[in-house]
């Protein structure tokens, strides 16, 4: 779940790119937790470096990792 604040740009960016960032991470699939953490950092840097996204926009993401049943 992504909650945008100060605009929707950051939430939309993370929604569209986070899964790809996780799958492309070098820790995936052997260490899913590290891959997710790295993907969020990558997304944060990409948003900060972007000139097309509203710099006042931010997002909160709720992430749950469920193993087994």
């Amino acid at each position: 779940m992504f909650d945008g604040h100060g605009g929707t740009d950051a939430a939309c960016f993370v929604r569209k790119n986070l899964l790809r960032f996780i799958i492309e991470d070098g820790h995936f699939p052997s260490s899913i937790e590290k891959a997710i953490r790295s993907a969020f950092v990558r997304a944060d840097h990409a948003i900060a470096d972007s000139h097309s996204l509203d710099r006042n926009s931010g997002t909160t993401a709720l992430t749950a990792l469920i193993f087994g049943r």
Side-chain angles (χ1 to χ4, degrees), residues 17-39:
N17 293 288
L18 188 63
L19 182 59
R20 179 173 53 87
F21 290 168
I22 293 169
I23 293 169
E24 290 176 352
D25 188 81
H27 295 105
F28 183 84
S30 61
S31 180
I32 304 262
E33 292 176 43
K34 286 182 181 179
I36 291 172
R37 188 177 301 116
S38 295

Side-chain angles (χ1 to χ4, degrees), residues 27-66:
H27 295 105
F28 183 84
S30 61
S31 180
I32 304 262
E33 292 176 43
K34 286 182 181 179
I36 291 172
R37 188 177 301 116
S38 295
F40 274 109
V41 170
R42 182 175 171 193
D44 187 52
H45 290 172
I47 291 169
D49 293 343
S50 175
H51 298 290
S52 63
L53 298 176
D54 182 354
R55 298 199 52 101
N56 294 317
S57 178
T59 189
T60 301
L62 175 62
T63 306
L65 197 54
I66 302 170

